[in-house]
Amino acid sequence: MTQELFKDEAQQLRPRLIELARRYLGDDDAEDTVQDTLLRLWQMVDDLRQPIDALALRLTRNLCIDQLRRQRPASLSAFNGSPETDTPNDDERIKRMMSVIATLPSLQQTILRLRHLEGMEMKEIAALTGSSETAIRKVLSRARQAVRTQYLKQYE
C-alpha cells in the first residue's frame, strides 16, 4: 500500500476508530488509543493491503482491552486490601459482598470470580469449565441476580 493511499484510508477510518475506542474507554483515552492504532498501521504500511478497516478496528479493540486490563488492578485493589485506597465503608462493603458470593453454588462462585476478579473472557471460562459460552452467560447472569437479591435483602 502506498503512503498516500494509507493517509486517505486512515482519514476516512479515523471517526469509526474513535467511536469504537470511546465505547470502550470513554472520551479521555480514545484519541490516544486511535493514534497508537494508526501509528502501528503506519509502521507496517508497506505490508498492508486494502481494505485496512477490519485490521484497524481489531487493532483498536485489542488496544482498548489492553488498556482496560492495565487499569483493572487499580480498580480491584480493594479486593487485595490495599490500605491507601480503601476506606472503612469500601472494605466493609467488599466483605459483605464476598460473604454473599460465598453462599452461592460453587459453579456460580467460580464463574463470578473468573469473570470479575480475574477478568477472563466468556470464551476462556467456557473452555476452562467445559461448557458453552451461552451456558456460562446464563450461569453468570443468575449468579449476579442472586448476589444482588441477597445483598439487598441482608444489607439494605
Side-chain angles (χ1 to χ4, degrees):
M1 172 179 279
T2 66
Q3 292 178 0
E4 289 301 317
L5 193 55
F6 175 81
K7 288 178 186 177
D8 291 341
E9 281 214 36
Q11 189 175 23
Q12 292 174 357
L13 195 54
R14 186 177 179 81
R16 283 179 58 196
L17 297 177
I18 290 174
E19 180 183 330
L20 175 66
R22 280 188 180 142
R23 279 188 266 150
Y24 278 97
L25 304 171
D27 290 335
D28 296 338
D29 298 324
E31 193 72 37
D32 291 338
T33 302
V34 170
Q35 282 294 91
D36 193 22
T37 300
L38 294 175
L39 176 65
R40 289 179 187 212
L41 289 171
W42 177 257
Q43 291 171 341
M44 55 181 159
V45 70
D46 294 331
D47 300 327
L48 292 176
R49 295 188 187 150
Q50 279 188 296
I52 64 167
D53 57 340
L55 176 62
L57 289 168
R58 176 61 68 169
L59 186 56
T60 302
R61 177 186 170 272
N62 290 347
L63 289 172
C64 289
I65 291 171
D66 287 346
Q67 186 164 348
L68 290 171
R69 285 183 177 154
R70 280 191 302 272
Q71 293 171 354
R72 182 177 54 95
S75 67
L76 289 179
S77 62
F79 286 104
N80 298 329
S82 168
E84 61 272 1
T85 59
D86 288 349
T87 64
N89 291 335
D90 289 342
D91 191 39
E92 185 61 32
R93 277 190 281 163
I94 290 167
K95 285 180 183 176
R96 289 175 178 176
M97 186 66 68
M98 295 308 281
S99 70
V100 169
I101 291 172
T103 65
L104 295 175
S106 63
L107 180 62
Q108 288 182 354
Q109 284 183 40
T110 302
I111 291 174
L112 264 175
R113 288 186 172 130
L114 290 174
R115 179 69 177 150
H116 293 293
L117 297 179
E118 299 297 323
M120 292 178 74
E121 297 292 323
M122 296 292 185
K123 188 180 292 185
E124 296 170 323
I125 297 170
L128 188 65
T129 60
S131 300
S132 68
E133 281 187 64
T134 306
I136 296 300
R137 289 182 196 284
K138 191 67 170 175
V139 170
L140 186 60
S141 174
R142 288 180 180 161
R144 288 175 180 156
Q145 183 63 38
V147 167
R148 185 179 308 115
T149 302
Q150 288 180 21
Y151 186 86
L152 291 174
K153 188 189 308 182
Q154 291 178 6
Y155 301 109
E156 297 287 320

